[in-house]
Amino acid sequence: MVKNESRWQKRERIRERLLDLVEETAVGRPIPSERQLCDELGVSRPTLRSVVDDLVRDGQLVREHGRGVFVARAKIAQHLAQPPGAPGPLLGIGGVNGTWHSRTVDFRTILAGPRIGRRLRLSPGEPVLRITRLRLVDDAPMCIETLHLPAALVPGLTTSDVETGSLYQLLGHRYGLLLTDAEQTIEPTVTDEAEAELLEVPLHTPALLFERVTADSQGRAVEFTHSVYRGDRYRIHTQLTLLPRPDGGQVVSGSWAAASSVPGADTLVMDPYWTGQE
């Protein structure tokens, strides 16, 4: 027991010890029992449990009723950095861990309406193809993605088209759509009832909301995507350059870089939702 320790300092000490255990212990293996940890740290069980609950919520630990607390699988990381030697100023994702595949939840044509029409620069009465997919990583639900495409740009697109291969490659090869720019926002949210059921998490679980509008070389808005990611299993990794590089390279605010090592990076945009890893 540490003397003259504030409640915050005590919780931080427990948290640091538990995070060390996460680093030292193999995925799926248990951490020491509550009794052992309380004796080691000189704290009460309610205090220890409170910190363990926080790490369970954050996806670092998994509690199994009647069995104990185990080290969770690492979060899936999306990298927003240009890897050394990657060719060109390509737009895309710098790398996404895991093996991705998808299941189509909904596929239909709707009227754009004011909200979708504004994002796709269409009148509210224009037809839009709406596709909702559950994305899984290593067979675990990771995100729910709802994609909107102007129906006039993708005649004949079917469910099977979006369940295999890269949609962006398909848009280029079949429809001649050269995607050149995208604007994406990321913000915190919580899951609603339908999202929680599909993602297999409790209602109001912390999540990340991605929204993206992608345009082609003619300036047309080709795609509006709304995606909800599990906050306990997904994280964003960025690499920032704070000083000019010796080679004269520049940091461009808001730009995304594609990794040539990721399948599909030969196209303009590399996206985990639409890779060939189906």
Side-chain angles (χ1 to χ4, degrees):
M1 180 178 296
V2 179
K3 293 182 179 181
N4 301 321
E5 187 177 39
S6 69
R7 182 173 179 272
W8 180 85
Q9 289 171 327
K10 182 184 296 183
R11 289 180 60 86
E12 283 300 298
R13 180 166 59 85
I14 298 169
R15 178 180 172 83
E16 288 299 318
R17 176 57 182 142
L18 292 175
L19 289 176
D20 285 343
L21 286 171
V22 169
E23 289 287 330
E24 298 164 0
T25 308
V27 170
R29 299 293 299 171
I31 65 172
S33 67
E34 280 188 358
R35 175 179 293 180
Q36 288 176 271
L37 288 171
C38 287
D39 289 345
E40 174 190 336
L41 296 167
V43 297
S44 67
R45 287 197 176 188
T47 301
L48 176 68
R49 270 183 206 153
S50 176
V51 180
V52 169
D53 287 344
D54 288 345
L55 293 181
V56 169
R57 180 201 62 205
D58 293 344
Q60 301 280 353
L61 297 171
V62 175
R63 179 181 279 111
E64 296 187 14
H65 183 67
R67 296 192 62 225
V69 179
F70 300 82
V71 174
R73 287 184 294 174
K75 291 188 178 184
I76 300 302
Q78 183 184 98
H79 302 273
L80 307 187
Q82 179 88 4
L90 301 181
L91 178 70
I93 291 173
V96 184
N97 303 60
T99 300
W100 292 71
H101 64 280
S102 66
R103 173 166 61 86
T104 301
V105 176
D106 188 41
F107 189 104
R108 69 177 68 184
T109 300
I110 62 169
L111 297 182
R115 187 177 71 90
I116 303 302
R118 184 169 62 253
R119 286 164 171 77
L120 291 178
R121 305 169 203 154
L122 301 173
S123 67
E126 288 288 327
V128 168
L129 189 62
R130 184 177 70 189
I131 305 163
T132 301
R133 304 200 309 173
L134 175 66
R135 298 292 288 159
L136 302 99
V137 182
D138 299 332
D139 296 322
M142 183 59 58
C143 85
I144 301 166
E145 175 204 42
T146 301
L147 174 78
H148 304 83
L149 300 167
L153 296 181
V154 289
L157 191 69
T158 66
T159 303
S160 60
D161 289 329
V162 300
E163 289 186 340
T164 58
S166 165
L167 179 69
Y168 289 126
Q169 288 183 343
L170 180 66
L171 292 178
H173 295 161
R174 182 187 296 180
Y175 298 106
L177 298 173
L178 176 61
L179 306 180
T180 56
D181 300 282
E183 181 176 341
Q184 178 163 272
T185 61
I186 306 171
E187 61 184 272
T189 186
V190 295
T191 56
D192 62 23
E193 188 172 349
E195 292 163 348
E197 181 179 355
L198 283 171
L199 292 174
E200 300 177 7
V201 297
L203 179 64
H204 298 155
T205 292
L208 291 171
L209 170 62
F210 289 65
E211 288 195 337
R212 182 178 68 252
V213 175
T214 306
D216 70 357
S217 57
Q218 299 181 43
R220 297 175 296 186
V222 172
E223 168 205 41
F224 168 60
T225 298
H226 173 105
S227 303
V228 175
Y229 281 80
R230 287 176 54 169
D232 64 330
R233 293 283 291 118
Y234 201 78
R235 67 177 181 173
I236 303 297
H237 177 84
T238 63
Q239 181 175 335
L240 306 177
T241 300
L242 304 181
L243 291 172
R245 296 179 180 178
D247 61 3
Q250 297 180 348
V251 178
V252 181
S253 175
S255 66
W256 290 57
S260 59
S261 60
V262 180
D266 56 321
T267 59
L268 181 67
V269 181
M270 175 51 233
D271 192 305
Y273 327 129
W274 302 113
T275 70
Q277 302 178 58
E278 298 292 339

PDB file of all heavy atoms in Angstrom, residues 14 33-36 38-39 42-52:
ATOM      1  N   ILE A  14      -2.977   1.215 -10.442  1.00  0.00           N
ATOM      2  CA  ILE A  14      -3.610  -0.068 -10.792  1.00  0.00           C
ATOM      3  C   ILE A  14      -3.681  -0.221 -12.304  1.00  0.00           C
ATOM      4  O   ILE A  14      -3.367  -1.291 -12.848  1.00  0.00           O
ATOM      5  CB  ILE A  14      -5.023  -0.141 -10.178  1.00  0.00           C
ATOM      6  CG1 ILE A  14      -4.963  -0.091  -8.655  1.00  0.00           C
ATOM      7  CG2 ILE A  14      -5.738  -1.416 -10.633  1.00  0.00           C
ATOM      8  CD1 ILE A  14      -6.320   0.102  -8.000  1.00  0.00           C
ATOM      9  N   SER A  33      -5.617 -13.508 -10.375  1.00  0.00           N
ATOM     10  CA  SER A  33      -6.917 -13.373  -9.721  1.00  0.00           C
ATOM     11  C   SER A  33      -7.035 -12.041  -8.977  1.00  0.00           C
ATOM     12  O   SER A  33      -6.025 -11.378  -8.698  1.00  0.00           O
ATOM     13  CB  SER A  33      -7.125 -14.513  -8.726  1.00  0.00           C
ATOM     14  OG  SER A  33      -6.211 -14.385  -7.643  1.00  0.00           O
ATOM     15  N   GLU A  34      -8.274 -11.672  -8.647  1.00  0.00           N
ATOM     16  CA  GLU A  34      -8.498 -10.447  -7.877  1.00  0.00           C
ATOM     17  C   GLU A  34      -7.719 -10.469  -6.569  1.00  0.00           C
ATOM     18  O   GLU A  34      -7.117  -9.465  -6.182  1.00  0.00           O
ATOM     19  CB  GLU A  34      -9.995 -10.281  -7.585  1.00  0.00           C
ATOM     20  CG  GLU A  34     -10.799  -9.733  -8.733  1.00  0.00           C
ATOM     21  CD  GLU A  34     -12.226  -9.425  -8.305  1.00  0.00           C
ATOM     22  OE1 GLU A  34     -12.573  -9.688  -7.127  1.00  0.00           O
ATOM     23  OE2 GLU A  34     -12.994  -8.919  -9.137  1.00  0.00           O
ATOM     24  N   ARG A  35      -7.750 -11.603  -5.881  1.00  0.00           N
ATOM     25  CA  ARG A  35      -7.062 -11.696  -4.592  1.00  0.00           C
ATOM     26  C   ARG A  35      -5.572 -11.433  -4.761  1.00  0.00           C
ATOM     27  O   ARG A  35      -4.973 -10.669  -3.982  1.00  0.00           O
ATOM     28  CB  ARG A  35      -7.291 -13.058  -3.963  1.00  0.00           C
ATOM     29  CG  ARG A  35      -6.503 -13.262  -2.659  1.00  0.00           C
ATOM     30  CD  ARG A  35      -6.780 -14.621  -2.054  1.00  0.00           C
ATOM     31  NE  ARG A  35      -8.160 -14.722  -1.587  1.00  0.00           N
ATOM     32  CZ  ARG A  35      -8.670 -15.811  -1.018  1.00  0.00           C
ATOM     33  NH1 ARG A  35      -7.909 -16.895  -0.855  1.00  0.00           N
ATOM     34  NH2 ARG A  35      -9.929 -15.824  -0.622  1.00  0.00           N
ATOM     35  N   GLN A  36      -4.959 -12.058  -5.771  1.00  0.00           N
ATOM     36  CA  GLN A  36      -3.524 -11.853  -5.995  1.00  0.00           C
ATOM     37  C   GLN A  36      -3.207 -10.393  -6.286  1.00  0.00           C
ATOM     38  O   GLN A  36      -2.254  -9.825  -5.745  1.00  0.00           O
ATOM     39  CB  GLN A  36      -3.052 -12.720  -7.164  1.00  0.00           C
ATOM     40  CG  GLN A  36      -2.982 -14.200  -6.869  1.00  0.00           C
ATOM     41  CD  GLN A  36      -2.588 -14.966  -8.120  1.00  0.00           C
ATOM     42  OE1 GLN A  36      -3.438 -15.372  -8.921  1.00  0.00           O
ATOM     43  NE2 GLN A  36      -1.297 -15.171  -8.306  1.00  0.00           N
ATOM     44  N   CYS A  38      -5.025  -7.694  -5.615  1.00  0.00           N
ATOM     45  CA  CYS A  38      -5.291  -6.830  -4.449  1.00  0.00           C
ATOM     46  C   CYS A  38      -4.148  -6.915  -3.437  1.00  0.00           C
ATOM     47  O   CYS A  38      -3.717  -5.897  -2.875  1.00  0.00           O
ATOM     48  CB  CYS A  38      -6.617  -7.214  -3.796  1.00  0.00           C
ATOM     49  SG  CYS A  38      -8.071  -6.726  -4.753  1.00  0.00           S
ATOM     50  N   ASP A  39      -3.642  -8.138  -3.209  1.00  0.00           N
ATOM     51  CA  ASP A  39      -2.516  -8.303  -2.284  1.00  0.00           C
ATOM     52  C   ASP A  39      -1.268  -7.607  -2.820  1.00  0.00           C
ATOM     53  O   ASP A  39      -0.532  -6.944  -2.075  1.00  0.00           O
ATOM     54  CB  ASP A  39      -2.234  -9.788  -2.053  1.00  0.00           C
ATOM     55  CG  ASP A  39      -3.308 -10.461  -1.214  1.00  0.00           C
ATOM     56  OD1 ASP A  39      -4.108  -9.733  -0.574  1.00  0.00           O
ATOM     57  OD2 ASP A  39      -3.372 -11.711  -1.211  1.00  0.00           O
ATOM     58  N   GLY A  42      -2.062  -3.732  -2.870  1.00  0.00           N
ATOM     59  CA  GLY A  42      -2.513  -3.131  -1.620  1.00  0.00           C
ATOM     60  C   GLY A  42      -3.765  -2.297  -1.778  1.00  0.00           C
ATOM     61  O   GLY A  42      -3.864  -1.193  -1.222  1.00  0.00           O
ATOM     62  N   VAL A  43      -4.738  -2.812  -2.554  1.00  0.00           N
ATOM     63  CA  VAL A  43      -5.985  -2.081  -2.800  1.00  0.00           C
ATOM     64  C   VAL A  43      -7.174  -2.995  -2.509  1.00  0.00           C
ATOM     65  O   VAL A  43      -7.028  -4.217  -2.399  1.00  0.00           O
ATOM     66  CB  VAL A  43      -6.064  -1.578  -4.258  1.00  0.00           C
ATOM     67  CG1 VAL A  43      -4.939  -0.595  -4.540  1.00  0.00           C
ATOM     68  CG2 VAL A  43      -6.019  -2.741  -5.249  1.00  0.00           C
ATOM     69  N   SER A  44      -8.348  -2.390  -2.417  1.00  0.00           N
ATOM     70  CA  SER A  44      -9.563  -3.163  -2.166  1.00  0.00           C
ATOM     71  C   SER A  44     -10.097  -3.758  -3.466  1.00  0.00           C
ATOM     72  O   SER A  44      -9.786  -3.277  -4.563  1.00  0.00           O
ATOM     73  CB  SER A  44     -10.635  -2.272  -1.542  1.00  0.00           C
ATOM     74  OG  SER A  44     -11.070  -1.294  -2.479  1.00  0.00           O
ATOM     75  N   ARG A  45     -10.912  -4.802  -3.314  1.00  0.00           N
ATOM     76  CA  ARG A  45     -11.496  -5.426  -4.502  1.00  0.00           C
ATOM     77  C   ARG A  45     -12.398  -4.476  -5.288  1.00  0.00           C
ATOM     78  O   ARG A  45     -12.326  -4.457  -6.529  1.00  0.00           O
ATOM     79  CB  ARG A  45     -12.264  -6.688  -4.105  1.00  0.00           C
ATOM     80  CG  ARG A  45     -11.351  -7.837  -3.720  1.00  0.00           C
ATOM     81  CD  ARG A  45     -12.083  -9.158  -3.723  1.00  0.00           C
ATOM     82  NE  ARG A  45     -11.181 -10.259  -3.440  1.00  0.00           N
ATOM     83  CZ  ARG A  45     -11.523 -11.537  -3.541  1.00  0.00           C
ATOM     84  NH1 ARG A  45     -12.751 -11.873  -3.884  1.00  0.00           N
ATOM     85  NH2 ARG A  45     -10.641 -12.484  -3.285  1.00  0.00           N
ATOM     86  N   PRO A  46     -13.270  -3.668  -4.636  1.00  0.00           N
ATOM     87  CA  PRO A  46     -14.093  -2.732  -5.414  1.00  0.00           C
ATOM     88  C   PRO A  46     -13.258  -1.758  -6.250  1.00  0.00           C
ATOM     89  O   PRO A  46     -13.607  -1.454  -7.398  1.00  0.00           O
ATOM     90  CB  PRO A  46     -14.907  -2.002  -4.340  1.00  0.00           C
ATOM     91  CG  PRO A  46     -14.992  -2.977  -3.219  1.00  0.00           C
ATOM     92  CD  PRO A  46     -13.666  -3.679  -3.217  1.00  0.00           C
ATOM     93  N   THR A  47     -12.146  -1.280  -5.682  1.00  0.00           N
ATOM     94  CA  THR A  47     -11.288  -0.356  -6.435  1.00  0.00           C
ATOM     95  C   THR A  47     -10.651  -1.054  -7.629  1.00  0.00           C
ATOM     96  O   THR A  47     -10.613  -0.518  -8.740  1.00  0.00           O
ATOM     97  CB  THR A  47     -10.192   0.223  -5.513  1.00  0.00           C
ATOM     98  OG1 THR A  47     -10.799   0.906  -4.421  1.00  0.00           O
ATOM     99  CG2 THR A  47      -9.301   1.189  -6.272  1.00  0.00           C
ATOM    100  N   LEU A  48     -10.144  -2.267  -7.406  1.00  0.00           N
ATOM    101  CA  LEU A  48      -9.544  -3.032  -8.496  1.00  0.00           C
ATOM    102  C   LEU A  48     -10.571  -3.318  -9.578  1.00  0.00           C
ATOM    103  O   LEU A  48     -10.305  -3.137 -10.770  1.00  0.00           O
ATOM    104  CB  LEU A  48      -8.960  -4.341  -7.960  1.00  0.00           C
ATOM    105  CG  LEU A  48      -8.388  -5.288  -9.021  1.00  0.00           C
ATOM    106  CD1 LEU A  48      -7.137  -4.695  -9.654  1.00  0.00           C
ATOM    107  CD2 LEU A  48      -8.079  -6.661  -8.420  1.00  0.00           C
ATOM    108  N   ARG A  49     -11.759  -3.755  -9.172  1.00  0.00           N
ATOM    109  CA  ARG A  49     -12.800  -4.097 -10.147  1.00  0.00           C
ATOM    110  C   ARG A  49     -13.181  -2.898 -11.003  1.00  0.00           C
ATOM    111  O   ARG A  49     -13.445  -3.032 -12.198  1.00  0.00           O
ATOM    112  CB  ARG A  49     -14.041  -4.598  -9.404  1.00  0.00           C
ATOM    113  CG  ARG A  49     -14.029  -6.096  -9.182  1.00  0.00           C
ATOM    114  CD  ARG A  49     -15.291  -6.567  -8.513  1.00  0.00           C
ATOM    115  NE  ARG A  49     -15.013  -7.806  -7.790  1.00  0.00           N
ATOM    116  CZ  ARG A  49     -15.681  -8.204  -6.735  1.00  0.00           C
ATOM    117  NH1 ARG A  49     -16.648  -7.455  -6.251  1.00  0.00           N
ATOM    118  NH2 ARG A  49     -15.382  -9.341  -6.150  1.00  0.00           N
ATOM    119  N   SER A  50     -13.220  -1.727 -10.385  1.00  0.00           N
ATOM    120  CA  SER A  50     -13.580  -0.519 -11.123  1.00  0.00           C
ATOM    121  C   SER A  50     -12.600  -0.253 -12.260  1.00  0.00           C
ATOM    122  O   SER A  50     -12.993   0.089 -13.377  1.00  0.00           O
ATOM    123  CB  SER A  50     -13.624   0.672 -10.168  1.00  0.00           C
ATOM    124  OG  SER A  50     -13.879   1.863 -10.868  1.00  0.00           O
ATOM    125  N   VAL A  51     -11.303  -0.442 -11.998  1.00  0.00           N
ATOM    126  CA  VAL A  51     -10.299  -0.221 -13.043  1.00  0.00           C
ATOM    127  C   VAL A  51     -10.365  -1.330 -14.089  1.00  0.00           C
ATOM    128  O   VAL A  51     -10.235  -1.073 -15.295  1.00  0.00           O
ATOM    129  CB  VAL A  51      -8.891  -0.134 -12.431  1.00  0.00           C
ATOM    130  CG1 VAL A  51      -7.844   0.099 -13.516  1.00  0.00           C
ATOM    131  CG2 VAL A  51      -8.817   0.979 -11.391  1.00  0.00           C
ATOM    132  N   VAL A  52     -10.568  -2.568 -13.652  1.00  0.00           N
ATOM    133  CA  VAL A  52     -10.726  -3.674 -14.602  1.00  0.00           C
ATOM    134  C   VAL A  52     -11.921  -3.419 -15.510  1.00  0.00           C
ATOM    135  O   VAL A  52     -11.855  -3.633 -16.730  1.00  0.00           O
ATOM    136  CB  VAL A  52     -10.885  -5.015 -13.853  1.00  0.00           C
ATOM    137  CG1 VAL A  52     -11.308  -6.119 -14.830  1.00  0.00           C
ATOM    138  CG2 VAL A  52      -9.583  -5.395 -13.164  1.00  0.00           C
TER     139      VAL A  52
END
